[in-house]
Amino acid sequence: MANNYNIFETVDFNSDLWEKLHGAYGNILEDIIPLTVNEPEVPENEKSFYADYESDYMIAFDNICCTLSHQMSFYHASYIALPYLANAFNYWYQKDDFIMQVLFLNNIGIIVSTDIPYNTEYYNDIRENLPANVMESYQESILFFKEKAKELLLNKLDMFKQFRQIDITYIFISLLAFIGKREHAFVLMLGNFDQCLISCKNCGLYTEDIELDDDYINNTDHQELNELITPAGPVTGQWDKKSFDDTYVWLSNILQLCGNDNDAAKLSYFYGTFNCPDCGTKQGPVIDLYMLALSEE
C-alpha cells in the first residue's frame, strides 16, 4: 500500500549516496528504514522526551537525531535524511498528534541549527556535487518544518505548557532554527542557554567567563553582570501573536506566555549590549558577538 503521507522526494535505498553521506556513526540507512513504515506503532508512553524507547520506530528516530547532531556538528547525511524525516513528521501532523510533532520539531531544529557556515565550510565540494533534486528536497523540507513550527506556535501555544519549564525553553530555542537565525539557535543550544562567550569587534577582547545560569538560579547580585552587558529592554505584550520578524520580541513573549519569566529575562542578556571593559565600546546584540567568538577560537 502506498504511503499517502510522503510529500517529499527521497533518495532511493539503493543509491550510492548512503555510502557517501554519513552521520556521526556512519551510514544512516539502517535507522531511516524503520521511519518509512505506513502506520508507525509507537506506544503512548514512548511519546516523551524521557522515555526508554523500545519500539523500532522510536529507537530509529532517536538514533537518527543523535547521529545527525552529535556534539552540535553538522553531518552531510542530513541532506538525504531530512526529506525522510519530513515525510515521517507529516504522518503525525495529519494525525494531529501534538506530542510527536513537538518531538520531531525539537530534534530536527537542533539538526538544522548546525547547518551554518561555522560548521559547513569544509563541505562545500560535497554540497555542490550533490544532485540538484537532493538539495532541493532538503531545502523544501526545512521550509515545511518552518511552516509547521509557526503553525504550532500560533495555534497551540497553550499546549506547550504541559512540558516542564526547562523543556519549554529548549523546544522554543530549537524552533528558532527554523523561524529565526540558525546561528542564534546554535549558540543558545551550544552553551546550554547559560554560557556566553564574547569577542569584542573593536579591540579583540575575548571572554568566556559569563555564566547567566548561576546568576538567575542562585538569585545573586546582577551588578557585575550588568556592568558587562546591558540587557535588552522588556518587550512583554509587544508581540502581535502572528509576526516572527523580531526574534527577541516573539521568543521573549512566548516564554512569558508559557510562564517562563526567568528564561525570558536571561534571553534579554543574549540580545543585550556588551560594554567592553577594555576599550569602552558598546556592541550588540551579544548573541552575535558569541558567534564571532566561536569563529575566532
Side-chain angles (χ1 to χ4, degrees):
M1 180 184 296
N3 188 333
N4 295 324
Y5 302 106
N6 291 344
I7 56 177
F8 291 98
E9 180 182 354
T10 53
V11 172
D12 189 85
F13 290 159
N14 296 318
S15 171
D16 62 357
L17 288 177
W18 299 101
E19 288 297 334
K20 294 179 179 179
L21 305 177
H22 286 178
Y25 311 114
N27 193 314
I28 66 169
L29 181 56
E30 182 178 344
D31 289 313
I32 284 291
I33 292 174
L35 301 179
T36 64
V37 296
N38 289 346
E39 294 292 333
E41 295 183 5
V42 178
E44 288 300 314
N45 68 298
E46 292 191 19
K47 296 178 180 180
S48 167
F49 286 104
Y50 303 102
D52 292 325
Y53 299 132
E54 296 182 359
S55 65
D56 291 343
Y57 188 92
M58 291 305 292
I59 289 173
F61 174 68
D62 187 53
N63 287 344
I64 282 293
C65 295
C66 289
T67 195
L68 295 181
S69 63
H70 180 63
Q71 295 185 340
M72 293 302 291
S73 296
F74 176 79
Y75 298 93
H76 39 56
S78 295
Y79 295 136
I80 52 178
L82 251 66
Y84 277 101
L85 289 169
N87 286 336
F89 170 88
N90 192 44
Y91 171 86
W92 301 107
Y93 175 75
Q94 297 298 332
K95 295 292 185 180
D96 197 26
D97 191 314
F98 175 76
I99 300 295
M100 288 300 291
Q101 289 180 66
V102 172
L103 287 175
F104 266 77
L105 288 170
N106 177 75
N107 284 282
I108 296 165
I110 297 172
I111 295 168
V112 170
S113 78
T114 67
D115 187 3
I116 56 176
Y118 172 74
N119 280 331
T120 61
E121 58 179 323
Y122 301 111
Y123 295 137
N124 290 337
D125 288 344
I126 293 176
R127 183 169 56 250
E128 290 171 0
N129 287 301
L130 285 176
N133 64 318
V134 171
M135 288 305 299
E136 181 179 353
S137 189
Y138 171 71
Q139 298 294 351
E140 287 179 349
S141 65
I142 293 176
L143 291 176
F144 171 74
F145 286 123
K146 175 180 180 178
E147 174 189 335
K148 301 312 176 187
K150 286 184 175 180
E151 190 173 311
L152 284 188
L153 291 177
L154 293 176
N155 300 330
K156 298 186 177 182
L157 186 59
D158 283 346
M159 294 181 68
F160 284 94
K161 295 178 181 178
Q162 66 188 281
F163 298 108
R164 300 190 314 170
Q165 288 292 342
I166 188 172
D167 295 327
I168 290 174
T169 295
Y170 285 103
I171 291 167
F172 292 157
I173 289 174
S174 68
L175 298 187
L176 180 57
F178 302 120
I179 301 172
K181 290 182 67 174
R182 290 181 192 173
E183 287 84 356
H184 288 187
F186 176 78
V187 298
L188 290 175
M189 286 186 281
L190 183 69
N192 202 31
F193 199 47
D194 346 291
Q195 186 183 24
C196 187
L197 311 181
I198 293 180
S199 178
C200 176
K201 292 187 290 186
N202 185 56
C203 71
L205 172 71
Y206 176 90
T207 177
E208 56 183 18
D209 298 328
I210 301 174
E211 295 285 347
L212 296 176
D213 190 57
D214 289 340
D215 280 311
Y216 281 92
I217 290 181
N218 298 326
N219 293 316
T220 57
D221 185 10
H222 296 184
Q223 180 177 351
E224 184 176 350
L225 175 62
N226 288 344
E227 289 176 355
L228 283 176
I229 300 175
T230 302
V235 290
T236 304
Q238 295 183 26
W239 186 42
D240 61 7
K241 298 185 180 181
K242 61 183 179 181
S243 172
F244 294 93
D245 293 337
D246 189 320
T247 298
Y248 175 58
V249 169
W250 72 258
L251 184 52
S252 180
N253 273 271
I254 63 172
L255 285 170
Q256 291 169 325
L257 289 169
C258 287
N260 206 338
D261 293 345
N262 186 65
D263 281 348
K266 283 174 62 176
L267 188 71
S268 70
Y269 283 88
F270 285 101
Y271 284 90
T273 302
F274 175 58
N275 310 306
C276 181
D278 278 12
C279 67
T281 60
K282 300 182 183 298
Q283 307 156 51
V286 167
I287 197 167
D288 287 338
L289 301 180
Y290 191 150
M291 193 69 234
L292 176 63
L294 287 176
S295 301
E296 294 179 347
E297 281 186 324

